[in-house]
Amino acid sequence: MADSAETDWVSRFADEVISEAERRAPGKAIVCASGLSPSGPIHLGNLREVMTPHLVADEIRRRGLECVHLISWDDYDRFRRVPAGIDPSWAEHIGKPLTSVPAPPGSRYANWAEHFKAPLVTALAELGVEYHAISQTAQYTSGVYREQILTAVRARATIDAVLSRYRSKQGDGAEEGGARGAYFPYKPYCDLCERDLTTVTNYDDETTELAYTCECGFGETVRLAEHDRGKLVWKVDWPMRWAYEGVVFEPSGVDHHSPGSAWIVGGQLVGEVFGGQQPIGPMYAFVGITGMAKMSSSKGGVPTPSDALEIMEAPLLRWLYARRKPAQSFKIAFDHEIQRLYDEWDSLGRKVAAGQAQPAELAAHRRAVSTAAGPLPVTPHPVAYRTLASVADITTGHAEQTLRILRDLDGVETLDEVRPRLDRARRWVELHLPADQRTRVRESPDQELLGSLGQAEREGLRLLADGLDDWTLEGLTALVYGVPKLQAGLPADAPATPELKTAQRAFFTLLYRLLVGRDTGPRLPTLLMAVGADRVRKLVGA
């Protein structure tokens, strides 16, 4: 690991975190943290909030040190808006804790938060992410934070002074709960309507009696020292948790690092108010999806980790997060780019096996295929993803045909050898290959097209049919590229020229039109092998 430390971002952060943890709390378990709001689909951008500390925590564990990765579910946050596709009547729940909002129609989960947490929990298990989950609903409603809440309320003038440095316009303190402009860092949930449309009207520091009114018309007086139906406002809640949990490492998105943001303000409050220290907190960049704009959970329809794991294996998805520094943005492919991505991944695997990978490449690969707890499942016989996708497309998932083709292509004896990659490629074809690009092999020859061909085109088809005896992927590849060379009087190993490339493209287009009725399709050698020699000869009129 020493060799990779200079180039591997995970190792560098692990070094820094270990050193800082030893300074802060020697001998104690090191705490890394993530925070997620189950207010809607938890998408692949949110996954960076988990994967960044996971990779660092995992590296620390690999070194034999005790490290805890906390995932705080911010399920006591307010329900802010009704996402697209949900019955507008859910607007009546705006202002309630996420755990008090009914799950979307048809859900089997108890509430809104549990509905959106569940898919990520399943995905994290598949990704090998080891963590300790904390429900903020459970923390607040069980009174865990009572002393911290009282501390924040006593220090409300100090907090207000810090926040006032960043208030640029009226309304910046919209989440604050005091009356007549007075700052109050605690927001009660109404005991009648359960919403946070409340205003604190009076507070007695000695007795901790707190009076509030709600927009629904309800009001009451409670003792804050015993009150468990409210929470600290976000810019106070976050630094409180850093201090309470002893967090040493927690990344956050670029939106948290602007002036006046929770990260900037929290860095001042954590020490002044709660006697803690701000974590080491790298800023991470956005994760995009090929062909899509920036992801937003509130808008719905954004790909989640579960969506990605339907079409790619867990090690590949881990690798995408491991190979890029947190500050580097990247995109995850759900279109044809996934085939290129898999080619790159397989190429790296071959380099690693041959001992030719650079230290940073080797470290990222190791973090992708294993954790401190052991290796992740991999496909025993990793046939190229683009080949599996083509076969799945051509055979429409027919198992016997698939096995026949893969046996001829790559010596595959059972389909279990190519799983789970085969299943991921099949799902990609089903879910993401446009209908107009799906392959449907013709049932009978296109007699009209065959009748319109010239002598040279007919000769090319005859040469193809005569050469189908070499029934290997290499042989068929050489054949389809070699026919135009033969027709031009060139040897089989002749280098490509612009004229030769033009002739090859024209020949390929003719074959696609005769075999599948359009100008493009899967790679021709794979297509020929899938169709079978006898049927190819029939369709090309030979």
Side-chain angles (χ1 to χ4, degrees):
M1 184 52 64
D3 290 340
S4 67
E6 295 182 1
T7 52
D8 173 31
W9 69 266
V10 180
S11 292
R12 291 198 300 273
F13 273 122
D15 292 341
E16 188 177 349
V17 170
I18 291 169
S19 176
E20 182 65 14
E22 183 62 25
R23 185 186 69 79
R24 294 186 185 187
K28 291 188 177 181
I30 299 170
V31 179
C32 299
S34 305
L36 294 168
S37 175
S39 58
I42 299 170
H43 56 62
L44 289 161
N46 304 136
L47 184 60
R48 204 164 202 182
E49 172 77 24
V50 176
M51 291 305 297
T52 303
H54 160 68
L55 292 165
V56 172
D58 189 68
E59 171 61 23
I60 293 171
R61 293 189 198 109
R62 289 177 194 261
R63 300 184 188 185
L65 299 175
E66 187 179 359
C67 186
V68 178
H69 178 191
L70 301 178
I71 293 184
S72 277
W73 293 107
D74 291 318
D75 52 12
Y76 206 48
D77 285 0
R78 74 191 307 268
F79 182 54
R80 295 184 177 277
R81 63 182 66 86
V82 181
I86 299 297
D87 189 327
S89 67
W90 255 251
E92 69 180 86
H93 302 294
I94 289 175
K96 293 181 181 179
L98 294 170
T99 42
S100 295
V101 178
S107 173
R108 62 187 178 91
Y109 293 98
N111 57 59
W112 189 270
E114 292 302 315
H115 174 83
F116 288 107
K117 285 163 62 173
L120 185 65
V121 169
T122 300
L124 294 182
E126 186 171 345
L127 287 165
V129 176
E130 180 183 328
Y131 64 95
H132 174 68
I134 297 176
S135 164
Q136 290 304 318
T137 297
Q139 296 290 89
Y140 272 105
T141 59
S142 64
V144 168
Y145 296 144
R146 279 181 187 165
E147 286 304 316
Q148 286 69 30
I149 291 169
L150 292 173
T151 296
V153 170
R154 283 194 295 269
R156 59 190 180 276
T158 299
I159 297 171
D160 189 33
V162 172
L163 293 174
S164 67
R165 300 170 199 164
Y166 301 97
R167 292 191 184 108
S168 58
K169 60 183 183 297
Q170 188 175 5
D172 276 2
E175 68 171 0
E176 301 156 10
R180 297 180 298 280
Y183 177 79
F184 206 78
Y186 179 81
K187 192 78 166 171
Y189 280 112
C190 176
D191 193 45
L192 180 63
C193 73
E194 297 187 78
R195 296 178 295 173
D196 69 346
L197 308 179
T198 57
T199 300
V200 174
T201 57
N202 191 56
Y203 181 72
D204 186 300
D205 284 286
E206 185 174 341
T207 65
T208 76
E209 285 191 351
L210 178 151
Y212 74 84
T213 59
C214 178
E215 289 183 15
C216 74
F218 181 78
E220 66 174 339
T221 298
V222 298
R223 287 190 70 244
L224 187 57
E226 301 170 352
H227 192 251
D228 299 325
R229 294 188 310 277
K231 70 185 293 290
L232 293 171
V233 298
W234 169 236
K235 290 181 181 179
V236 182
D237 172 88
W238 200 11
M240 178 274 289
R241 285 193 253 162
W242 291 339
Y244 181 82
E245 295 161 352
V247 179
V248 182
F249 182 80
E250 182 172 4
S252 55
V254 295
D255 49 333
H256 286 302
H257 288 257
S258 59
S261 68
W263 176 263
I264 301 300
V265 170
Q268 299 176 53
L269 297 182
V270 64
E272 288 187 48
V273 176
F274 299 107
Q277 298 179 66
Q278 189 172 34
I280 296 168
M283 178 181 70
Y284 59 81
F286 291 114
V287 176
I289 302 296
T290 301
M292 293 183 65
K294 175 187 163 184
M295 289 178 280
S296 169
S297 290
S298 63
K299 294 181 180 178
V302 290
T304 65
S306 295
D307 294 328
L309 290 170
E310 279 200 282
I311 65 169
M312 64 182 69
E313 297 160 271
L316 176 64
L317 186 56
R318 288 177 61 90
W319 177 62
L320 297 179
Y321 290 85
R323 69 172 178 161
R324 294 279 186 258
K325 297 175 183 177
Q328 293 177 306
S329 61
F330 66 91
K331 290 187 176 182
I332 297 177
F334 277 68
D335 58 8
H336 280 88
E337 276 294 298
I338 193 173
Q339 299 179 3
R340 182 201 58 77
L341 195 64
Y342 253 102
D343 289 344
E344 190 178 351
W345 169 246
D346 288 343
S347 175
L348 174 60
R350 291 189 292 272
K351 287 174 67 175
V352 170
Q356 298 171 347
Q358 296 298 313
E361 293 178 316
L362 186 63
H365 185 270
R366 185 173 71 123
R367 301 187 199 291
V369 301
S370 69
T371 70
L376 273 70
V378 295
T379 298
H381 191 147
V383 175
Y385 189 92
R386 65 176 64 245
T387 298
L388 295 176
S390 293
V391 173
D393 178 29
I394 296 163
T395 64
T396 61
H398 190 279
E400 290 183 10
Q401 290 186 41
T402 298
L403 181 57
R404 173 184 65 80
I405 297 167
L406 293 177
R407 183 183 291 119
D408 290 342
L409 276 172
D410 211 340
V412 174
E413 293 300 326
T414 69
L415 292 184
D416 286 343
E417 293 178 34
V418 289
R419 287 192 168 108
R421 185 179 292 195
L422 171 63
D423 300 322
R424 302 298 187 270
R426 182 178 293 150
R427 287 296 285 163
W428 178 80
V429 169
E430 293 172 354
L431 297 172
H432 301 287
L433 185 63
D436 61 357
Q437 296 179 27
R438 296 292 296 268
T439 302
R440 295 290 181 266
V441 179
R442 291 183 60 89
E443 294 294 331
S444 59
D446 186 341
Q447 297 295 352
E448 182 178 352
L449 177 56
L450 288 170
S452 70
L453 300 180
Q455 182 61 36
E457 291 169 314
R458 292 176 184 274
E459 176 64 14
L461 295 175
R462 185 190 63 78
L463 289 171
L464 176 84
D466 290 346
L468 291 175
D469 291 335
D470 186 353
W471 202 245
T472 64
L473 192 60
E474 293 78 10
L476 292 174
T477 301
L479 176 63
V480 296
Y481 281 92
V483 166
K485 294 181 182 181
L486 290 174
Q487 289 191 282
L490 299 171
D493 60 353
T497 63
E499 294 78 13
L500 180 57
K501 288 182 179 179
T502 298
Q504 288 172 329
R505 281 196 297 270
F507 183 57
F508 297 166
T509 299
L510 175 59
L511 290 178
Y512 282 126
R513 291 176 64 192
L514 289 169
L515 297 175
V516 297
R518 52 190 177 85
D519 292 346
T520 60
R523 293 186 69 243
L524 271 172
T526 304
L527 178 60
L528 293 175
M529 188 162 281
V531 175
D534 291 341
R535 194 174 177 191
V536 169
R537 291 189 178 99
K538 175 185 174 183
L539 293 176
V540 302

